[in-house]
Amino acid sequence: MRSSSSQVGATSLSSSVRPVESSRPASVSRVRRALYGVAALFAALVLLILWFAIARPVQVLPRIGQAPAFMLTDQDGRWISDADLRGRVLIINFAHTRCGERCAAMERSLLTLVDALRADGRLGTQVRLVTISVDADGDTPPALRAYAERLNVAAPEEWIFLTGSARELKQLIGGGYGVYYRMNGETVDLVDQRAVLVDETGLLRAEYDGTRLDPAIVLRDIGLVEQEANSSATARPIYEAAHIFVCYPR
């Protein structure tokens, strides 16, 4: 009798153990499927990142940094701050009215850009040119106003000219923008004839050689800034990804 009961007990024990043993392969299979799924997702993500970096479906301009703040005087004697110019894309250059032939190439480039912006319908509404003088002594508001008239600039909304004290200009132009110029008595030597693009929020986005401004490139850059600024909430992550993967124009 003991033998029968032992057999019954062994049979019962073995039957109770079998489901656990049979469940182990199923559990391992589920884990494997989960790992395969994670691996496939990771591979797809890597391929998507590589495609985005190579194909560059969205292009952006770099966010170089916050443009320096200022409070200067325009050609009509009004105080103008950087905050007053927000809301439009700014093309800022640095010059002075007594520069003459040394700045002639930059003047021609700017006037060609003005014509292109006016023909494009952006000048004065979406884009504004800003010239900041490096000559505190010579470029008084009346001198700037005469310079604007010589360039045939009628509307300050299209192109504004700014000046200030020698210290203010040196801090802003030399310190803030890193544009190099020398004062030799009454003579001003503008070594770096640069122009920059500042977006509507006050971020510096591009820098150019002011003597060789290509209107097509500047218009392209303005368009990229405007597209990013006007993008929908759902498209914002795509633009952020474009910055992460350095999808800048070549």
Side-chain angles (χ1 to χ4, degrees):
M1 294 295 291
R2 287 179 182 173
S3 177
S4 295
S5 63
S6 298
Q7 290 177 354
V8 172
T11 302
S12 300
L13 180 61
S14 64
S15 63
S16 65
V17 171
R18 280 175 194 157
V20 177
E21 290 177 348
S22 63
S23 68
R24 289 170 68 185
S27 176
V28 170
S29 178
R30 283 196 297 271
V31 171
R32 285 177 179 171
R33 284 199 300 270
L35 290 175
Y36 290 151
V38 171
L41 182 62
F42 180 76
L45 182 61
V46 170
L47 289 174
L48 179 62
I49 290 172
L50 288 174
W51 172 80
F52 197 97
I54 296 171
R56 298 151 61 91
V58 173
Q59 292 189 359
V60 292
L61 289 187
R63 297 165 179 162
I64 299 172
Q66 188 69 36
F70 60 81
M71 176 68 76
L72 299 173
T73 308
D74 73 357
Q75 67 264 39
D76 295 319
R78 299 172 299 183
W79 288 104
I80 301 292
S81 72
D82 59 299
D84 295 328
L85 302 178
R86 298 277 170 83
R88 276 177 284 189
V89 174
L90 305 178
I91 304 297
I92 302 176
N93 78 297
F94 311 94
H96 63 100
T97 61
R98 297 183 292 175
C99 193
E101 188 59 32
R102 289 180 61 87
C103 293
M106 181 165 59
E107 287 180 5
R108 287 193 295 269
S109 289
L110 290 168
L111 290 172
T112 301
L113 178 60
V114 165
D115 290 339
L117 288 169
R118 188 174 285 126
D120 193 56
R122 284 187 168 103
L123 188 63
T125 54
Q126 297 155 277
V127 182
R128 192 179 200 179
L129 270 70
V130 180
T131 293
I132 302 178
S133 173
V134 300
D135 184 2
D137 294 331
D139 286 343
T140 60
L144 291 178
R145 190 163 54 250
Y147 183 61
E149 291 172 357
R150 182 169 69 81
L151 295 179
N152 199 27
V153 178
E157 289 299 307
E158 294 182 350
W159 194 346
I160 192 170
F161 300 82
L162 301 174
T163 189
S165 69
R167 182 179 179 182
E168 288 171 331
L169 296 177
K170 195 66 177 178
Q171 287 178 341
L172 172 63
I173 302 170
Y177 282 103
V179 172
Y180 181 61
Y181 63 96
R182 290 189 298 259
M183 303 295 298
N184 299 319
E186 295 185 356
T187 304
V188 184
D189 185 10
L190 182 59
V191 179
D192 186 359
Q193 298 188 34
R194 194 187 314 175
V196 301
L197 186 153
V198 176
D199 70 17
E200 72 286 346
T201 67
L203 281 177
L204 179 62
R205 304 296 295 271
E207 297 180 324
Y208 311 99
D209 179 351
T211 64
R212 293 184 296 176
L213 279 173
D214 186 338
I217 291 177
V218 177
L219 285 171
R220 177 205 65 188
D221 291 348
I222 292 169
L224 291 176
V225 167
E226 291 177 343
Q227 286 174 12
E228 182 178 356
N230 297 327
S231 61
S232 64
T234 55
R236 293 303 301 171
I238 299 175
Y239 280 93
E240 293 305 318
H243 281 284
I244 292 172
F245 294 110
V246 196
C247 295
Y248 303 148
R250 294 189 176 94

